[in-house]
Short mmCIF file of all heavy atoms in Angstrom, two decimals:
data_model
loop_
_atom_site.label_atom_id
_atom_site.label_comp_id
_atom_site.label_asym_id
_atom_site.label_seq_id
_atom_site.Cartn_x
_atom_site.Cartn_y
_atom_site.Cartn_z
N TYR S 652 -7.86 5.12 8.11
CA TYR S 652 -7.33 4.15 7.17
C TYR S 652 -5.93 4.64 6.76
O TYR S 652 -5.69 5.88 6.67
CB TYR S 652 -8.21 4.15 5.95
CG TYR S 652 -9.62 3.69 6.19
CD1 TYR S 652 -10.68 4.58 6.29
CD2 TYR S 652 -9.87 2.32 6.29
CE1 TYR S 652 -11.98 4.14 6.51
CE2 TYR S 652 -11.23 1.85 6.52
CZ TYR S 652 -12.23 2.78 6.62
OH TYR S 652 -13.53 2.41 6.84
N MET S 653 -5.03 3.76 6.55
CA MET S 653 -3.65 4.07 6.21
C MET S 653 -3.25 3.54 4.83
O MET S 653 -3.71 2.44 4.45
CB MET S 653 -2.70 3.56 7.26
CG MET S 653 -2.99 4.06 8.66
SD MET S 653 -2.89 5.88 8.89
CE MET S 653 -1.17 6.15 8.40
N LEU S 654 -2.41 4.26 4.13
CA LEU S 654 -1.97 3.93 2.82
C LEU S 654 -0.48 4.22 2.67
O LEU S 654 0.01 5.27 3.08
CB LEU S 654 -2.75 4.64 1.75
CG LEU S 654 -2.26 4.51 0.29
CD1 LEU S 654 -2.56 3.14 -0.27
CD2 LEU S 654 -2.87 5.61 -0.58
N TRP S 655 0.23 3.32 2.03
CA TRP S 655 1.53 3.59 1.46
C TRP S 655 1.37 3.71 -0.08
O TRP S 655 0.77 2.81 -0.68
CB TRP S 655 2.54 2.50 1.77
CG TRP S 655 3.09 2.51 3.17
CD1 TRP S 655 2.67 1.71 4.20
CD2 TRP S 655 4.14 3.31 3.66
NE1 TRP S 655 3.40 1.97 5.31
CE2 TRP S 655 4.31 3.02 5.01
CE3 TRP S 655 4.94 4.33 3.11
CZ2 TRP S 655 5.27 3.64 5.85
CZ3 TRP S 655 5.89 4.99 3.91
CH2 TRP S 655 6.00 4.60 5.26
N PHE S 656 1.89 4.82 -0.66
CA PHE S 656 1.86 4.93 -2.11
C PHE S 656 3.20 5.44 -2.55
O PHE S 656 4.01 5.96 -1.76
CB PHE S 656 0.71 5.81 -2.62
CG PHE S 656 0.81 7.29 -2.32
CD1 PHE S 656 1.39 8.11 -3.27
CD2 PHE S 656 0.28 7.80 -1.14
CE1 PHE S 656 1.47 9.50 -3.03
CE2 PHE S 656 0.45 9.18 -0.92
CZ PHE S 656 0.99 10.01 -1.87
N ARG S 657 3.46 5.35 -3.83
CA ARG S 657 4.72 5.76 -4.39
C ARG S 657 4.55 6.50 -5.70
O ARG S 657 3.55 6.32 -6.35
CB ARG S 657 5.73 4.56 -4.59
CG ARG S 657 5.19 3.59 -5.62
CD ARG S 657 6.03 2.27 -5.58
NE ARG S 657 5.59 1.36 -6.60
CZ ARG S 657 6.12 0.12 -6.71
NH1 ARG S 657 7.08 -0.32 -5.86
NH2 ARG S 657 5.69 -0.70 -7.62
N GLN S 658 5.55 7.27 -6.02
CA GLN S 658 5.60 7.98 -7.33
C GLN S 658 7.01 8.11 -7.84
O GLN S 658 7.92 8.63 -7.16
CB GLN S 658 4.96 9.36 -7.24
CG GLN S 658 4.82 10.09 -8.59
CD GLN S 658 3.97 11.29 -8.50
OE1 GLN S 658 3.95 12.01 -7.47
NE2 GLN S 658 3.27 11.58 -9.55
N ALA S 659 7.26 7.57 -9.05
CA ALA S 659 8.53 7.70 -9.68
C ALA S 659 8.52 8.86 -10.68
O ALA S 659 7.41 9.24 -11.13
CB ALA S 659 8.85 6.39 -10.43
N PRO S 660 9.65 9.46 -11.05
CA PRO S 660 9.59 10.57 -12.00
C PRO S 660 8.95 10.20 -13.28
O PRO S 660 9.23 9.18 -13.88
CB PRO S 660 11.13 10.82 -12.20
CG PRO S 660 11.75 10.38 -10.89
CD PRO S 660 10.93 9.14 -10.52
N GLY S 661 8.05 11.01 -13.76
CA GLY S 661 7.33 10.82 -14.94
C GLY S 661 6.21 9.73 -14.87
O GLY S 661 5.64 9.42 -15.91
N LYS S 662 5.98 9.18 -13.72
CA LYS S 662 4.96 8.12 -13.59
C LYS S 662 3.79 8.65 -12.68
O LYS S 662 3.91 9.60 -11.94
CB LYS S 662 5.59 6.91 -12.86
CG LYS S 662 6.81 6.35 -13.63
CD LYS S 662 6.39 5.74 -14.92
CE LYS S 662 7.61 5.06 -15.61
NZ LYS S 662 7.26 4.43 -16.88
N GLU S 663 2.66 7.94 -12.80
CA GLU S 663 1.52 8.20 -12.01
C GLU S 663 1.80 7.69 -10.56
O GLU S 663 2.52 6.77 -10.37
CB GLU S 663 0.32 7.56 -12.62
CG GLU S 663 -0.06 8.07 -13.97
CD GLU S 663 -0.59 9.47 -13.88
OE1 GLU S 663 -1.31 9.85 -12.98
OE2 GLU S 663 -0.23 10.29 -14.79
N ARG S 664 1.07 8.26 -9.61
CA ARG S 664 1.07 7.80 -8.31
C ARG S 664 0.43 6.38 -8.22
O ARG S 664 -0.54 6.12 -8.94
CB ARG S 664 0.24 8.69 -7.30
CG ARG S 664 0.79 10.10 -7.25
CD ARG S 664 0.00 10.91 -6.21
NE ARG S 664 0.45 12.26 -6.18
CZ ARG S 664 -0.16 13.26 -6.81
NH1 ARG S 664 -1.29 13.07 -7.49
NH2 ARG S 664 0.32 14.51 -6.68
N GLU S 665 1.02 5.52 -7.48
CA GLU S 665 0.59 4.14 -7.38
C GLU S 665 0.41 3.73 -5.90
O GLU S 665 1.35 3.77 -5.17
CB GLU S 665 1.63 3.21 -8.04
CG GLU S 665 1.25 1.75 -7.93
CD GLU S 665 2.33 0.80 -8.45
OE1 GLU S 665 3.47 1.22 -8.51
OE2 GLU S 665 1.98 -0.37 -8.71
N GLY S 666 -0.81 3.35 -5.54
CA GLY S 666 -1.04 2.83 -4.22
C GLY S 666 -0.28 1.49 -4.06
O GLY S 666 -0.35 0.63 -4.97
N VAL S 667 0.40 1.31 -2.97
CA VAL S 667 1.17 0.14 -2.73
C VAL S 667 0.55 -0.85 -1.78
O VAL S 667 0.36 -2.00 -2.07
CB VAL S 667 2.61 0.53 -2.23
CG1 VAL S 667 3.36 -0.70 -1.80
CG2 VAL S 667 3.29 1.31 -3.35
N ALA S 668 0.18 -0.29 -0.59
CA ALA S 668 -0.42 -1.11 0.43
C ALA S 668 -1.27 -0.34 1.35
O ALA S 668 -0.92 0.80 1.69
CB ALA S 668 0.70 -1.87 1.28
N ALA S 669 -2.44 -0.87 1.78
CA ALA S 669 -3.35 -0.14 2.64
C ALA S 669 -3.88 -1.03 3.74
O ALA S 669 -3.91 -2.28 3.57
CB ALA S 669 -4.50 0.41 1.79
N CYS S 670 -4.25 -0.46 4.82
CA CYS S 670 -4.87 -1.22 5.92
C CYS S 670 -5.77 -0.30 6.75
O CYS S 670 -5.68 0.91 6.73
CB CYS S 670 -3.80 -1.86 6.77
SG CYS S 670 -2.89 -0.75 7.83
N TYR S 671 -6.61 -0.95 7.54
CA TYR S 671 -7.35 -0.30 8.58
C TYR S 671 -6.82 -0.78 9.91
O TYR S 671 -7.11 -1.94 10.24
CB TYR S 671 -8.84 -0.53 8.45
CG TYR S 671 -9.67 0.13 9.55
CD1 TYR S 671 -9.49 1.49 9.87
CD2 TYR S 671 -10.60 -0.58 10.30
CE1 TYR S 671 -10.22 2.07 10.92
CE2 TYR S 671 -11.37 0.00 11.31
CZ TYR S 671 -11.14 1.33 11.64
OH TYR S 671 -11.84 1.95 12.61
N PRO S 672 -6.08 0.00 10.69
CA PRO S 672 -5.40 -0.50 11.87
C PRO S 672 -6.32 -1.16 12.92
O PRO S 672 -5.89 -2.07 13.61
CB PRO S 672 -4.74 0.75 12.40
CG PRO S 672 -4.51 1.62 11.27
CD PRO S 672 -5.73 1.38 10.37
N ARG S 673 -7.58 -0.70 12.98
CA ARG S 673 -8.52 -1.25 13.92
C ARG S 673 -9.26 -2.43 13.40
O ARG S 673 -10.12 -3.02 14.08
CB ARG S 673 -9.52 -0.19 14.39
CG ARG S 673 -9.03 0.67 15.60
CD ARG S 673 -7.91 1.54 15.18
NE ARG S 673 -7.50 2.42 16.28
CZ ARG S 673 -6.50 3.30 16.25
NH1 ARG S 673 -5.76 3.36 15.15
NH2 ARG S 673 -6.21 4.10 17.23
N GLY S 674 -8.97 -2.84 12.17
CA GLY S 674 -9.52 -4.00 11.54
C GLY S 674 -8.46 -4.95 11.03
O GLY S 674 -7.24 -4.68 11.19
N GLY S 675 -8.89 -5.98 10.36
CA GLY S 675 -7.91 -6.93 9.86
C GLY S 675 -7.70 -6.96 8.35
O GLY S 675 -6.87 -7.73 7.88
N SER S 676 -8.29 -6.01 7.66
CA SER S 676 -8.20 -5.98 6.20
C SER S 676 -6.91 -5.32 5.72
O SER S 676 -6.55 -4.29 6.24
CB SER S 676 -9.39 -5.25 5.59
OG SER S 676 -10.59 -6.01 5.86
N THR S 677 -6.23 -5.89 4.76
CA THR S 677 -5.09 -5.28 4.11
C THR S 677 -5.26 -5.44 2.62
O THR S 677 -5.92 -6.36 2.15
CB THR S 677 -3.78 -5.93 4.53
OG1 THR S 677 -3.79 -7.37 4.23
CG2 THR S 677 -3.53 -5.74 6.01
N TYR S 678 -4.62 -4.53 1.91
CA TYR S 678 -4.76 -4.49 0.45
C TYR S 678 -3.37 -4.20 -0.16
O TYR S 678 -2.65 -3.38 0.37
CB TYR S 678 -5.74 -3.41 -0.02
CG TYR S 678 -7.10 -3.57 0.52
CD1 TYR S 678 -7.41 -3.10 1.77
CD2 TYR S 678 -8.10 -4.30 -0.20
CE1 TYR S 678 -8.73 -3.19 2.28
CE2 TYR S 678 -9.35 -4.46 0.36
CZ TYR S 678 -9.65 -3.90 1.58
OH TYR S 678 -10.95 -4.10 2.09
N TYR S 679 -3.03 -4.91 -1.23
CA TYR S 679 -1.69 -4.72 -1.89
C TYR S 679 -1.89 -4.60 -3.39
O TYR S 679 -2.71 -5.30 -4.02
CB TYR S 679 -0.78 -5.94 -1.60
CG TYR S 679 -0.41 -6.07 -0.14
CD1 TYR S 679 -1.20 -6.88 0.71
CD2 TYR S 679 0.65 -5.40 0.37
CE1 TYR S 679 -0.87 -6.99 2.07
CE2 TYR S 679 1.00 -5.53 1.75
CZ TYR S 679 0.23 -6.38 2.54
OH TYR S 679 0.62 -6.49 3.89
N ALA S 680 -1.02 -3.77 -3.96
CA ALA S 680 -0.93 -3.74 -5.41
C ALA S 680 -0.33 -5.04 -5.96
O ALA S 680 0.47 -5.67 -5.25
CB ALA S 680 -0.09 -2.55 -5.83
N ASP S 681 -0.83 -5.46 -7.10
CA ASP S 681 -0.30 -6.72 -7.64
C ASP S 681 1.22 -6.69 -7.80
O ASP S 681 1.87 -7.76 -7.68
CB ASP S 681 -0.95 -7.01 -9.00
CG ASP S 681 -2.41 -7.34 -8.92
OD1 ASP S 681 -2.86 -7.74 -7.79
OD2 ASP S 681 -3.13 -7.29 -9.90
N SER S 682 1.79 -5.55 -8.08
CA SER S 682 3.26 -5.48 -8.31
C SER S 682 4.09 -5.69 -7.12
O SER S 682 5.29 -6.00 -7.23
CB SER S 682 3.55 -4.10 -8.92
OG SER S 682 3.22 -3.07 -8.05
N VAL S 683 3.47 -5.59 -5.91
CA VAL S 683 4.27 -5.74 -4.69
C VAL S 683 3.80 -6.89 -3.79
O VAL S 683 4.41 -7.15 -2.75
CB VAL S 683 4.33 -4.43 -3.85
CG1 VAL S 683 4.80 -3.27 -4.79
CG2 VAL S 683 2.92 -4.10 -3.29
N LYS S 684 2.66 -7.48 -4.13
CA LYS S 684 2.08 -8.54 -3.26
C LYS S 684 3.12 -9.59 -3.04
O LYS S 684 3.79 -10.04 -3.94
CB LYS S 684 0.84 -9.10 -3.87
CG LYS S 684 -0.04 -9.88 -2.96
CD LYS S 684 -1.33 -10.22 -3.55
CE LYS S 684 -2.29 -10.92 -2.53
NZ LYS S 684 -3.63 -11.17 -3.09
N VAL S 685 3.21 -10.09 -1.84
CA VAL S 685 4.11 -11.11 -1.34
C VAL S 685 5.46 -10.48 -0.95
O VAL S 685 6.04 -10.82 0.11
CB VAL S 685 4.34 -12.24 -2.30
CG1 VAL S 685 5.36 -13.26 -1.78
CG2 VAL S 685 3.01 -12.97 -2.59
N ARG S 686 5.97 -9.59 -1.83
CA ARG S 686 7.24 -8.99 -1.50
C ARG S 686 7.18 -7.91 -0.36
O ARG S 686 8.12 -7.73 0.38
CB ARG S 686 7.85 -8.31 -2.76
CG ARG S 686 8.12 -9.32 -3.85
CD ARG S 686 8.92 -8.64 -5.05
NE ARG S 686 8.16 -7.56 -5.59
CZ ARG S 686 8.54 -6.31 -5.65
NH1 ARG S 686 9.73 -5.94 -5.12
NH2 ARG S 686 7.84 -5.37 -6.29
N PHE S 687 6.06 -7.21 -0.36
CA PHE S 687 5.90 -6.11 0.62
C PHE S 687 4.86 -6.52 1.63
O PHE S 687 3.90 -7.16 1.35
CB PHE S 687 5.43 -4.81 -0.08
CG PHE S 687 6.43 -4.16 -0.94
CD1 PHE S 687 7.62 -4.79 -1.31
CD2 PHE S 687 6.18 -2.87 -1.44
CE1 PHE S 687 8.54 -4.15 -2.17
CE2 PHE S 687 7.07 -2.24 -2.25
CZ PHE S 687 8.28 -2.90 -2.67
N THR S 688 5.04 -5.99 2.88
CA THR S 688 4.11 -6.25 3.93
C THR S 688 3.86 -4.95 4.78
O THR S 688 4.82 -4.30 5.16
CB THR S 688 4.57 -7.34 4.93
OG1 THR S 688 4.85 -8.53 4.15
CG2 THR S 688 3.54 -7.67 5.97
N ILE S 689 2.58 -4.63 4.96
CA ILE S 689 2.22 -3.49 5.81
C ILE S 689 1.95 -3.97 7.22
O ILE S 689 1.39 -5.04 7.40
CB ILE S 689 1.04 -2.72 5.19
CG1 ILE S 689 0.86 -1.37 5.91
CG2 ILE S 689 -0.24 -3.55 5.28
CD1 ILE S 689 -0.12 -0.48 5.22
N SER S 690 2.37 -3.21 8.18
CA SER S 690 2.13 -3.53 9.58
C SER S 690 2.00 -2.29 10.43
O SER S 690 2.23 -1.19 9.92
CB SER S 690 3.27 -4.46 10.12
OG SER S 690 4.51 -3.78 10.05
N LYS S 691 1.67 -2.44 11.68
CA LYS S 691 1.52 -1.33 12.54
C LYS S 691 1.93 -1.59 13.98
O LYS S 691 1.95 -2.72 14.43
CB LYS S 691 0.01 -0.93 12.54
CG LYS S 691 -0.89 -2.03 13.08
CD LYS S 691 -2.32 -1.72 12.93
CE LYS S 691 -3.24 -2.81 13.47
NZ LYS S 691 -3.08 -4.06 12.71
#
């Protein structure tokens, strides 16, 4: 399983986008949905 996450200074880690490359499921944080796209 693959994940992109981010961390800004003084902030908690935040998962951004995740996927299972051998499957079709993808997941996005509400803050980035539509704007960001994960691919492989």
Side-chain angles (χ1 to χ4, degrees):
Y652 298 99
M653 302 300 300
L654 170 73
W655 284 100
F656 72 93
R657 64 189 182 186
Q658 186 169 32
K662 303 292 185 179
E663 297 292 320
R664 299 185 184 98
E665 178 188 19
V667 172
C670 73
Y671 177 50
R673 273 67 174 178
S676 298
T677 58
Y678 303 86
Y679 295 92
D681 290 342
S682 60
V683 306
K684 195 170 185 178
V685 178
R686 297 189 298 120
F687 291 10
T688 303
I689 192 170
S690 62
K691 62 185 181 295

